[in-house]
Amino acid sequence: MRYAIAVAGALVMLFPFAWAVLTSITPGDAVLATPPDLTPDGAGLDAYRRLLEATPFWRILLNSLWIGVASTILQLVTSAMAAYAFARLPFPGRGALFAVYLATLMIPLQVLIVPLFIEMRTFNLVDTYFAVLAPTIASAFGVFLLRQAIAQVPREFDEAAVLDGAGHLRIFVSVVLPLIRPALATFAVFGFMASWNSYLWPLVIIRSPEFMTLPLGLAELHGRFTTEWNVVMAGSVVSVVPIAILYAFAQKHVIASVAQTGLK
């Protein structure tokens, strides 16, 4: 019964993606057929060809890839270092500062759009790659997640490393980071997904087509009066592939991180 419920849930979760794939290979005149045809005549990859013709798709995809990778790496570095400081380094006001840092999670991006834009304009960074990356360099959620993971690492490991002459940097790199790999992989998936799907901030800060990211490129496929939904779905299918590949590689670590949250 448990397996039957799991399979049923998996089918429900996979149905939207399967529907997007089906729509992307359906001829344009059959997309809006009523009732929907699950075996359309003339199915093919014409929508993918028109997608490449309608937009500089490879440039847009490359922009999203490198921005997503850079954002993920920066968040991993800054969040892991801050998490180690909050979990291992005693300093005055540590608890209060951590609480204030977590409180920033309650501030939505929409509230910060105007001050962020003014800041980028002041430094003459509007319409640059750095402007897209700047708000994602640090992550309060990442600090919280990794701090909890580091707190579960026994302090005896740190003490043994200190006896061998290791300092905080060596303990952080050689002891702590290898032991929190599942949490790092989990946060990497979340961070990459957030950057990959980001729409509002790139929409505000990007002006030139050469800096356009994938969500902006997909939005450009919607016409004012008509929309070729098979082309839109073709772009959506391609946009899902990198996320699926990343999760496939990180799946083992993500599951391990979720399992460890129940350990005392």
Side-chain angles (χ1 to χ4, degrees):
M1 181 61 69
R2 289 195 299 267
Y3 283 111
I5 295 174
V7 170
L11 292 176
V12 171
M13 300 294 286
L14 288 173
F15 179 77
F17 180 70
W19 185 263
V21 174
L22 179 64
T23 304
S24 69
I25 62 175
T26 301
D29 54 353
V31 169
L32 301 179
T34 305
D37 188 2
L38 298 179
T39 57
D41 296 330
L45 302 178
D46 184 62
Y48 293 89
R49 178 184 59 79
R50 295 208 303 276
L51 174 67
L52 298 177
E53 295 175 351
T55 61
F57 189 77
W58 294 117
R59 176 63 181 268
I60 293 173
L61 185 64
L62 184 62
N63 286 342
S64 288
L65 278 174
W66 98 258
I67 289 175
V69 171
S71 172
T72 302
I73 293 174
L74 289 172
Q75 288 185 70
L76 284 172
V77 172
T78 58
S79 298
M81 295 175 67
Y84 179 82
F86 281 121
R88 287 294 197 262
L89 304 183
F91 56 87
R94 181 178 64 174
L97 181 60
F98 184 65
V100 172
Y101 203 70
L102 289 184
T104 62
L105 288 172
M106 295 184 290
I107 304 176
L109 177 62
Q110 291 82 353
V111 176
L112 303 175
I113 285 292
V114 173
L116 279 174
F117 181 81
I118 293 174
E119 184 179 1
M120 294 299 108
R121 187 182 62 183
T122 302
F123 290 102
N124 197 27
L125 292 173
V126 175
D127 201 25
T128 63
Y129 286 125
F130 183 80
V132 180
L133 283 173
T136 66
I137 291 177
S139 170
F141 171 74
V143 174
F144 169 74
L145 179 67
L146 298 182
R147 177 188 176 274
Q148 300 306 110
I150 294 174
Q152 293 180 357
V153 176
R155 289 183 177 270
E156 287 78 4
F157 293 151
D158 299 17
E159 296 170 357
V162 170
L163 292 176
D164 289 336
H168 284 295
L169 181 59
R170 183 64 179 274
I171 294 173
F172 173 69
V173 174
S174 301
V175 178
V176 172
L177 289 185
L179 293 175
I180 62 168
R181 282 197 302 266
L184 291 172
T186 301
F187 179 56
V189 172
F190 289 151
F192 185 83
M193 286 180 60
S195 175
W196 185 261
N197 295 323
S198 178
Y199 175 75
L200 180 58
W201 176 243
L203 177 66
V204 171
I205 204 66
I206 293 299
R207 297 288 184 271
S208 304
E210 60 266 25
F211 298 128
M212 189 178 296
T213 58
L214 191 58
L216 299 182
L218 294 180
E220 291 291 322
L221 296 175
H222 292 271
R224 178 175 297 180
F225 301 106
T226 60
T227 299
E228 293 185 274
W229 288 108
N230 54 344
V231 179
V232 174
M233 288 298 104
S236 299
V237 170
V238 175
S239 71
V240 171
V241 172
I243 297 293
I245 295 174
L246 175 63
Y247 183 77
F249 281 104
Q251 180 181 10
K252 180 179 67 175
H253 295 295
V254 173
I255 294 174
S257 177
V258 173
Q260 286 178 0
T261 58
L263 299 178
K264 296 295 183 179

mmCIF file of all heavy atoms in Angstrom, residues 102-144:
data_model
loop_
_atom_site.group_PDB
_atom_site.id
_atom_site.type_symbol
_atom_site.label_atom_id
_atom_site.label_comp_id
_atom_site.label_asym_id
_atom_site.label_seq_id
_atom_site.Cartn_x
_atom_site.Cartn_y
_atom_site.Cartn_z
ATOM 1 N N LEU A 102 18.523 35.957 10.960
ATOM 2 C CA LEU A 102 17.380 35.135 10.546
ATOM 3 C C LEU A 102 16.143 35.987 10.285
ATOM 4 O O LEU A 102 15.293 35.616 9.462
ATOM 5 C CB LEU A 102 17.080 34.090 11.621
ATOM 6 C CG LEU A 102 18.069 32.942 11.772
ATOM 7 C CD1 LEU A 102 17.569 31.958 12.819
ATOM 8 C CD2 LEU A 102 18.292 32.224 10.450
ATOM 9 N N ALA A 103 16.024 37.098 10.978
ATOM 10 C CA ALA A 103 14.852 37.960 10.789
ATOM 11 C C ALA A 103 14.780 38.506 9.371
ATOM 12 O O ALA A 103 13.698 38.846 8.886
ATOM 13 C CB ALA A 103 14.876 39.107 11.794
ATOM 14 N N THR A 104 15.927 38.580 8.681
ATOM 15 C CA THR A 104 15.909 39.064 7.304
ATOM 16 C C THR A 104 15.159 38.119 6.373
ATOM 17 O O THR A 104 14.779 38.519 5.266
ATOM 18 C CB THR A 104 17.341 39.272 6.787
ATOM 19 O OG1 THR A 104 18.037 38.014 6.802
ATOM 20 C CG2 THR A 104 18.094 40.259 7.665
ATOM 21 N N LEU A 105 14.953 36.873 6.816
ATOM 22 C CA LEU A 105 14.182 35.933 5.993
ATOM 23 C C LEU A 105 12.738 36.393 5.841
ATOM 24 O O LEU A 105 12.051 35.992 4.887
ATOM 25 C CB LEU A 105 14.215 34.531 6.616
ATOM 26 C CG LEU A 105 15.530 33.768 6.524
ATOM 27 C CD1 LEU A 105 15.464 32.495 7.363
ATOM 28 C CD2 LEU A 105 15.853 33.432 5.081
ATOM 29 N N MET A 106 12.259 37.202 6.761
ATOM 30 C CA MET A 106 10.875 37.660 6.711
ATOM 31 C C MET A 106 10.697 38.881 5.811
ATOM 32 O O MET A 106 9.573 39.355 5.642
ATOM 33 C CB MET A 106 10.384 37.974 8.124
ATOM 34 C CG MET A 106 10.321 36.771 9.037
ATOM 35 S SD MET A 106 9.628 37.131 10.651
ATOM 36 C CE MET A 106 10.942 38.117 11.367
ATOM 37 N N ILE A 107 11.780 39.407 5.261
ATOM 38 C CA ILE A 107 11.685 40.575 4.390
ATOM 39 C C ILE A 107 11.622 40.099 2.942
ATOM 40 O O ILE A 107 12.589 39.526 2.427
ATOM 41 C CB ILE A 107 12.905 41.501 4.575
ATOM 42 C CG1 ILE A 107 13.032 41.913 6.038
ATOM 43 C CG2 ILE A 107 12.782 42.734 3.690
ATOM 44 C CD1 ILE A 107 14.253 42.753 6.327
ATOM 45 N N PRO A 108 10.516 40.287 2.248
ATOM 46 C CA PRO A 108 10.417 39.815 0.854
ATOM 47 C C PRO A 108 11.271 40.653 -0.082
ATOM 48 O O PRO A 108 11.573 41.828 0.184
ATOM 49 C CB PRO A 108 8.919 39.972 0.543
ATOM 50 C CG PRO A 108 8.452 41.055 1.457
ATOM 51 C CD PRO A 108 9.270 40.928 2.714
ATOM 52 N N LEU A 109 11.658 40.043 -1.185
ATOM 53 C CA LEU A 109 12.500 40.726 -2.161
ATOM 54 C C LEU A 109 11.813 41.967 -2.714
ATOM 55 O O LEU A 109 12.470 42.968 -3.011
ATOM 56 C CB LEU A 109 12.851 39.764 -3.301
ATOM 57 C CG LEU A 109 13.668 40.353 -4.458
ATOM 58 C CD1 LEU A 109 15.034 40.833 -3.958
ATOM 59 C CD2 LEU A 109 13.825 39.333 -5.573
ATOM 60 N N GLN A 110 10.488 41.921 -2.840
ATOM 61 C CA GLN A 110 9.767 43.060 -3.414
ATOM 62 C C GLN A 110 9.998 44.340 -2.620
ATOM 63 O O GLN A 110 10.004 45.439 -3.182
ATOM 64 C CB GLN A 110 8.263 42.756 -3.465
ATOM 65 C CG GLN A 110 7.885 41.695 -4.467
ATOM 66 C CD GLN A 110 8.092 40.281 -3.950
ATOM 67 O OE1 GLN A 110 8.650 40.092 -2.866
ATOM 68 N NE2 GLN A 110 7.645 39.290 -4.694
ATOM 69 N N VAL A 111 10.188 44.200 -1.298
ATOM 70 C CA VAL A 111 10.433 45.372 -0.460
ATOM 71 C C VAL A 111 11.820 45.953 -0.719
ATOM 72 O O VAL A 111 12.046 47.159 -0.588
ATOM 73 C CB VAL A 111 10.269 44.996 1.031
ATOM 74 C CG1 VAL A 111 10.605 46.160 1.943
ATOM 75 C CG2 VAL A 111 8.853 44.507 1.301
ATOM 76 N N LEU A 112 12.763 45.100 -1.110
ATOM 77 C CA LEU A 112 14.151 45.520 -1.281
ATOM 78 C C LEU A 112 14.482 45.955 -2.700
ATOM 79 O O LEU A 112 15.602 46.419 -2.958
ATOM 80 C CB LEU A 112 15.084 44.372 -0.888
ATOM 81 C CG LEU A 112 14.931 43.827 0.531
ATOM 82 C CD1 LEU A 112 15.836 42.619 0.725
ATOM 83 C CD2 LEU A 112 15.260 44.900 1.563
ATOM 84 N N ILE A 113 13.545 45.803 -3.627
ATOM 85 C CA ILE A 113 13.829 46.079 -5.029
ATOM 86 C C ILE A 113 14.298 47.519 -5.237
ATOM 87 O O ILE A 113 15.326 47.776 -5.876
ATOM 88 C CB ILE A 113 12.597 45.784 -5.898
ATOM 89 C CG1 ILE A 113 12.405 44.280 -6.068
ATOM 90 C CG2 ILE A 113 12.726 46.442 -7.273
ATOM 91 C CD1 ILE A 113 13.475 43.605 -6.881
ATOM 92 N N VAL A 114 13.572 48.473 -4.693
ATOM 93 C CA VAL A 114 13.901 49.887 -4.922
ATOM 94 C C VAL A 114 15.255 50.265 -4.315
ATOM 95 O O VAL A 114 16.115 50.834 -5.008
ATOM 96 C CB VAL A 114 12.778 50.806 -4.407
ATOM 97 C CG1 VAL A 114 13.204 52.272 -4.496
ATOM 98 C CG2 VAL A 114 11.500 50.589 -5.207
ATOM 99 N N PRO A 115 15.503 49.982 -3.016
ATOM 100 C CA PRO A 115 16.838 50.327 -2.483
ATOM 101 C C PRO A 115 17.973 49.585 -3.182
ATOM 102 O O PRO A 115 19.056 50.155 -3.371
ATOM 103 C CB PRO A 115 16.745 49.953 -1.001
ATOM 104 C CG PRO A 115 15.565 49.069 -0.878
ATOM 105 C CD PRO A 115 14.620 49.479 -1.947
ATOM 106 N N LEU A 116 17.740 48.326 -3.575
ATOM 107 C CA LEU A 116 18.779 47.597 -4.307
ATOM 108 C C LEU A 116 19.067 48.243 -5.655
ATOM 109 O O LEU A 116 20.229 48.393 -6.058
ATOM 110 C CB LEU A 116 18.351 46.143 -4.510
ATOM 111 C CG LEU A 116 18.546 45.183 -3.341
ATOM 112 C CD1 LEU A 116 17.946 43.823 -3.664
ATOM 113 C CD2 LEU A 116 20.027 45.041 -3.001
ATOM 114 N N PHE A 117 18.020 48.654 -6.345
ATOM 115 C CA PHE A 117 18.208 49.295 -7.649
ATOM 116 C C PHE A 117 18.944 50.625 -7.504
ATOM 117 O O PHE A 117 19.845 50.936 -8.301
ATOM 118 C CB PHE A 117 16.863 49.509 -8.340
ATOM 119 C CG PHE A 117 16.979 50.137 -9.690
ATOM 120 C CD1 PHE A 117 17.295 49.365 -10.799
ATOM 121 C CD2 PHE A 117 16.795 51.507 -9.863
ATOM 122 C CE1 PHE A 117 17.423 49.945 -12.053
ATOM 123 C CE2 PHE A 117 16.918 52.087 -11.107
ATOM 124 C CZ PHE A 117 17.232 51.308 -12.208
ATOM 125 N N ILE A 118 18.580 51.398 -6.478
ATOM 126 C CA ILE A 118 19.265 52.680 -6.251
ATOM 127 C C ILE A 118 20.737 52.441 -5.947
ATOM 128 O O ILE A 118 21.620 53.170 -6.422
ATOM 129 C CB ILE A 118 18.578 53.448 -5.101
ATOM 130 C CG1 ILE A 118 17.168 53.868 -5.523
ATOM 131 C CG2 ILE A 118 19.397 54.669 -4.710
ATOM 132 C CD1 ILE A 118 16.359 54.511 -4.410
ATOM 133 N N GLU A 119 21.009 51.406 -5.169
ATOM 134 C CA GLU A 119 22.403 51.087 -4.851
ATOM 135 C C GLU A 119 23.179 50.695 -6.100
ATOM 136 O O GLU A 119 24.307 51.160 -6.318
ATOM 137 C CB GLU A 119 22.439 49.956 -3.828
ATOM 138 C CG GLU A 119 23.827 49.598 -3.358
ATOM 139 C CD GLU A 119 23.810 48.491 -2.323
ATOM 140 O OE1 GLU A 119 22.718 47.993 -1.998
ATOM 141 O OE2 GLU A 119 24.904 48.118 -1.853
ATOM 142 N N MET A 120 22.598 49.856 -6.938
ATOM 143 C CA MET A 120 23.274 49.445 -8.164
ATOM 144 C C MET A 120 23.479 50.634 -9.103
ATOM 145 O O MET A 120 24.531 50.761 -9.739
ATOM 146 C CB MET A 120 22.461 48.357 -8.878
ATOM 147 C CG MET A 120 22.366 47.042 -8.136
ATOM 148 S SD MET A 120 23.956 46.236 -7.848
ATOM 149 C CE MET A 120 24.113 46.499 -6.062
ATOM 150 N N ARG A 121 22.486 51.525 -9.172
ATOM 151 C CA ARG A 121 22.621 52.706 -10.034
ATOM 152 C C ARG A 121 23.693 53.654 -9.512
ATOM 153 O O ARG A 121 24.439 54.254 -10.283
ATOM 154 C CB ARG A 121 21.273 53.416 -10.126
ATOM 155 C CG ARG A 121 21.250 54.573 -11.129
ATOM 156 C CD ARG A 121 19.924 55.253 -11.139
ATOM 157 N NE ARG A 121 19.631 55.852 -9.829
ATOM 158 C CZ ARG A 121 18.499 56.470 -9.517
ATOM 159 N NH1 ARG A 121 17.527 56.557 -10.423
ATOM 160 N NH2 ARG A 121 18.310 56.978 -8.321
ATOM 161 N N THR A 122 23.781 53.776 -8.179
ATOM 162 C CA THR A 122 24.796 54.646 -7.590
ATOM 163 C C THR A 122 26.199 54.192 -7.954
ATOM 164 O O THR A 122 27.086 55.015 -8.224
ATOM 165 C CB THR A 122 24.641 54.688 -6.060
ATOM 166 O OG1 THR A 122 23.324 55.149 -5.733
ATOM 167 C CG2 THR A 122 25.678 55.599 -5.424
ATOM 168 N N PHE A 123 26.406 52.880 -7.959
ATOM 169 C CA PHE A 123 27.721 52.327 -8.300
ATOM 170 C C PHE A 123 27.867 52.052 -9.797
ATOM 171 O O PHE A 123 28.837 51.402 -10.209
ATOM 172 C CB PHE A 123 27.968 51.048 -7.514
ATOM 173 C CG PHE A 123 28.188 51.270 -6.046
ATOM 174 C CD1 PHE A 123 27.167 51.033 -5.138
ATOM 175 C CD2 PHE A 123 29.407 51.740 -5.576
ATOM 176 C CE1 PHE A 123 27.360 51.239 -3.779
ATOM 177 C CE2 PHE A 123 29.611 51.948 -4.222
ATOM 178 C CZ PHE A 123 28.583 51.710 -3.324
ATOM 179 N N ASN A 124 26.902 52.517 -10.590
ATOM 180 C CA ASN A 124 26.951 52.366 -12.050
ATOM 181 C C ASN A 124 27.055 50.900 -12.457
ATOM 182 O O ASN A 124 27.847 50.529 -13.334
ATOM 183 C CB ASN A 124 28.124 53.162 -12.629
ATOM 184 C CG ASN A 124 27.986 53.391 -14.126
ATOM 185 O OD1 ASN A 124 26.872 53.431 -14.657
ATOM 186 N ND2 ASN A 124 29.112 53.536 -14.813
ATOM 187 N N LEU A 125 26.244 50.056 -11.811
ATOM 188 C CA LEU A 125 26.283 48.626 -12.077
ATOM 189 C C LEU A 125 25.014 48.113 -12.753
ATOM 190 O O LEU A 125 24.873 46.908 -12.959
ATOM 191 C CB LEU A 125 26.493 47.857 -10.760
ATOM 192 C CG LEU A 125 27.856 48.048 -10.096
ATOM 193 C CD1 LEU A 125 27.875 47.374 -8.728
ATOM 194 C CD2 LEU A 125 28.979 47.514 -10.971
ATOM 195 N N VAL A 126 24.093 49.008 -13.089
ATOM 196 C CA VAL A 126 22.855 48.584 -13.748
ATOM 197 C C VAL A 126 23.188 47.950 -15.097
ATOM 198 O O VAL A 126 24.075 48.429 -15.826
ATOM 199 C CB VAL A 126 21.902 49.784 -13.924
ATOM 200 C CG1 VAL A 126 20.665 49.379 -14.726
ATOM 201 C CG2 VAL A 126 21.482 50.337 -12.571
ATOM 202 N N ASP A 127 22.492 46.882 -15.425
ATOM 203 C CA ASP A 127 22.676 46.173 -16.685
ATOM 204 C C ASP A 127 24.060 45.528 -16.765
ATOM 205 O O ASP A 127 24.756 45.614 -17.776
ATOM 206 C CB ASP A 127 22.462 47.117 -17.870
ATOM 207 C CG ASP A 127 22.138 46.357 -19.158
ATOM 208 O OD1 ASP A 127 21.621 45.228 -19.067
ATOM 209 O OD2 ASP A 127 22.407 46.897 -20.243
ATOM 210 N N THR A 128 24.443 44.876 -15.660
ATOM 211 C CA THR A 128 25.693 44.123 -15.629
ATOM 212 C C THR A 128 25.440 42.776 -14.964
ATOM 213 O O THR A 128 24.463 42.597 -14.233
ATOM 214 C CB THR A 128 26.795 44.870 -14.856
ATOM 215 O OG1 THR A 128 26.380 45.024 -13.492
ATOM 216 C CG2 THR A 128 27.070 46.234 -15.468
ATOM 217 N N TYR A 129 26.356 41.854 -15.209
ATOM 218 C CA TYR A 129 26.237 40.551 -14.562
ATOM 219 C C TYR A 129 26.377 40.668 -13.045
ATOM 220 O O TYR A 129 25.689 39.967 -12.299
ATOM 221 C CB TYR A 129 27.313 39.605 -15.094
ATOM 222 C CG TYR A 129 27.064 39.102 -16.494
ATOM 223 C CD1 TYR A 129 28.023 39.269 -17.489
ATOM 224 C CD2 TYR A 129 25.875 38.454 -16.822
ATOM 225 C CE1 TYR A 129 27.802 38.796 -18.777
ATOM 226 C CE2 TYR A 129 25.655 37.990 -18.107
ATOM 227 C CZ TYR A 129 26.615 38.162 -19.074
ATOM 228 O OH TYR A 129 26.387 37.700 -20.348
ATOM 229 N N PHE A 130 27.269 41.541 -12.592
ATOM 230 C CA PHE A 130 27.473 41.679 -11.150
ATOM 231 C C PHE A 130 26.209 42.156 -10.461
ATOM 232 O O PHE A 130 25.922 41.749 -9.321
ATOM 233 C CB PHE A 130 28.615 42.652 -10.864
ATOM 234 C CG PHE A 130 28.917 42.789 -9.398
ATOM 235 C CD1 PHE A 130 29.676 41.835 -8.741
ATOM 236 C CD2 PHE A 130 28.425 43.864 -8.676
ATOM 237 C CE1 PHE A 130 29.943 41.949 -7.388
ATOM 238 C CE2 PHE A 130 28.681 43.990 -7.324
ATOM 239 C CZ PHE A 130 29.446 43.032 -6.676
ATOM 240 N N ALA A 131 25.436 43.016 -11.107
ATOM 241 C CA ALA A 131 24.197 43.492 -10.507
ATOM 242 C C ALA A 131 23.205 42.352 -10.297
ATOM 243 O O ALA A 131 22.453 42.344 -9.318
ATOM 244 C CB ALA A 131 23.568 44.581 -11.381
ATOM 245 N N VAL A 132 23.190 41.393 -11.217
ATOM 246 C CA VAL A 132 22.302 40.238 -11.056
ATOM 247 C C VAL A 132 22.771 39.366 -9.900
ATOM 248 O O VAL A 132 21.967 38.832 -9.129
ATOM 249 C CB VAL A 132 22.244 39.419 -12.364
ATOM 250 C CG1 VAL A 132 21.320 38.217 -12.206
ATOM 251 C CG2 VAL A 132 21.765 40.293 -13.512
ATOM 252 N N LEU A 133 24.093 39.234 -9.736
ATOM 253 C CA LEU A 133 24.650 38.359 -8.708
ATOM 254 C C LEU A 133 24.622 38.984 -7.318
ATOM 255 O O LEU A 133 24.531 38.262 -6.321
ATOM 256 C CB LEU A 133 26.099 38.007 -9.058
ATOM 257 C CG LEU A 133 26.326 36.958 -10.134
ATOM 258 C CD1 LEU A 133 27.808 36.870 -10.467
ATOM 259 C CD2 LEU A 133 25.808 35.598 -9.677
ATOM 260 N N ALA A 134 24.726 40.293 -7.223
ATOM 261 C CA ALA A 134 24.950 40.957 -5.937
ATOM 262 C C ALA A 134 23.968 40.549 -4.843
ATOM 263 O O ALA A 134 24.387 40.232 -3.725
ATOM 264 C CB ALA A 134 24.946 42.473 -6.136
ATOM 265 N N PRO A 135 22.645 40.535 -5.085
ATOM 266 C CA PRO A 135 21.728 40.193 -3.988
ATOM 267 C C PRO A 135 21.802 38.730 -3.546
ATOM 268 O O PRO A 135 21.233 38.375 -2.514
ATOM 269 C CB PRO A 135 20.336 40.509 -4.582
ATOM 270 C CG PRO A 135 20.598 41.403 -5.735
ATOM 271 C CD PRO A 135 21.908 40.965 -6.281
ATOM 272 N N THR A 136 22.495 37.883 -4.312
ATOM 273 C CA THR A 136 22.536 36.453 -3.987
ATOM 274 C C THR A 136 23.871 36.022 -3.402
ATOM 275 O O THR A 136 24.087 34.827 -3.209
ATOM 276 C CB THR A 136 22.252 35.612 -5.251
ATOM 277 O OG1 THR A 136 23.318 35.792 -6.200
ATOM 278 C CG2 THR A 136 20.947 36.036 -5.912
ATOM 279 N N ILE A 137 24.752 36.962 -3.115
ATOM 280 C CA ILE A 137 26.063 36.586 -2.586
ATOM 281 C C ILE A 137 25.938 35.965 -1.205
ATOM 282 O O ILE A 137 26.670 35.041 -0.852
ATOM 283 C CB ILE A 137 26.997 37.814 -2.569
ATOM 284 C CG1 ILE A 137 27.345 38.217 -4.007
ATOM 285 C CG2 ILE A 137 28.262 37.522 -1.774
ATOM 286 C CD1 ILE A 137 28.204 39.459 -4.110
ATOM 287 N N ALA A 138 25.021 36.460 -0.399
ATOM 288 C CA ALA A 138 24.808 35.933 0.956
ATOM 289 C C ALA A 138 23.384 35.428 1.087
ATOM 290 O O ALA A 138 22.467 35.949 0.443
ATOM 291 C CB ALA A 138 25.101 37.004 2.002
ATOM 292 N N SER A 139 23.182 34.427 1.926
ATOM 293 C CA SER A 139 21.871 33.817 2.111
ATOM 294 C C SER A 139 21.639 33.514 3.577
ATOM 295 O O SER A 139 22.376 32.727 4.181
ATOM 296 C CB SER A 139 21.755 32.529 1.279
ATOM 297 O OG SER A 139 20.590 31.814 1.626
ATOM 298 N N ALA A 140 20.621 34.146 4.156
ATOM 299 C CA ALA A 140 20.286 33.877 5.559
ATOM 300 C C ALA A 140 19.812 32.440 5.731
ATOM 301 O O ALA A 140 20.128 31.783 6.733
ATOM 302 C CB ALA A 140 19.214 34.853 6.036
ATOM 303 N N PHE A 141 19.053 31.938 4.764
ATOM 304 C CA PHE A 141 18.595 30.556 4.841
ATOM 305 C C PHE A 141 19.776 29.598 4.812
ATOM 306 O O PHE A 141 19.814 28.604 5.546
ATOM 307 C CB PHE A 141 17.643 30.248 3.691
ATOM 308 C CG PHE A 141 17.302 28.787 3.570
ATOM 309 C CD1 PHE A 141 16.446 28.192 4.472
ATOM 310 C CD2 PHE A 141 17.860 28.010 2.559
ATOM 311 C CE1 PHE A 141 16.128 26.834 4.369
ATOM 312 C CE2 PHE A 141 17.564 26.660 2.457
ATOM 313 C CZ PHE A 141 16.694 26.076 3.361
ATOM 314 N N GLY A 142 20.761 29.883 3.962
ATOM 315 C CA GLY A 142 21.937 29.023 3.895
ATOM 316 C C GLY A 142 22.716 29.016 5.195
ATOM 317 O O GLY A 142 23.197 27.965 5.635
ATOM 318 N N VAL A 143 22.854 30.180 5.827
ATOM 319 C CA VAL A 143 23.552 30.252 7.112
ATOM 320 C C VAL A 143 22.816 29.426 8.158
ATOM 321 O O VAL A 143 23.425 28.677 8.936
ATOM 322 C CB VAL A 143 23.684 31.710 7.574
ATOM 323 C CG1 VAL A 143 24.271 31.778 8.983
ATOM 324 C CG2 VAL A 143 24.563 32.493 6.603
ATOM 325 N N PHE A 144 21.490 29.537 8.187
ATOM 326 C CA PHE A 144 20.702 28.765 9.152
ATOM 327 C C PHE A 144 20.851 27.272 8.912
ATOM 328 O O PHE A 144 21.100 26.494 9.848
ATOM 329 C CB PHE A 144 19.234 29.174 9.066
ATOM 330 C CG PHE A 144 18.304 28.277 9.828
ATOM 331 C CD1 PHE A 144 18.248 28.340 11.208
ATOM 332 C CD2 PHE A 144 17.504 27.365 9.170
ATOM 333 C CE1 PHE A 144 17.400 27.507 11.927
ATOM 334 C CE2 PHE A 144 16.653 26.532 9.872
ATOM 335 C CZ PHE A 144 16.600 26.602 11.260
#
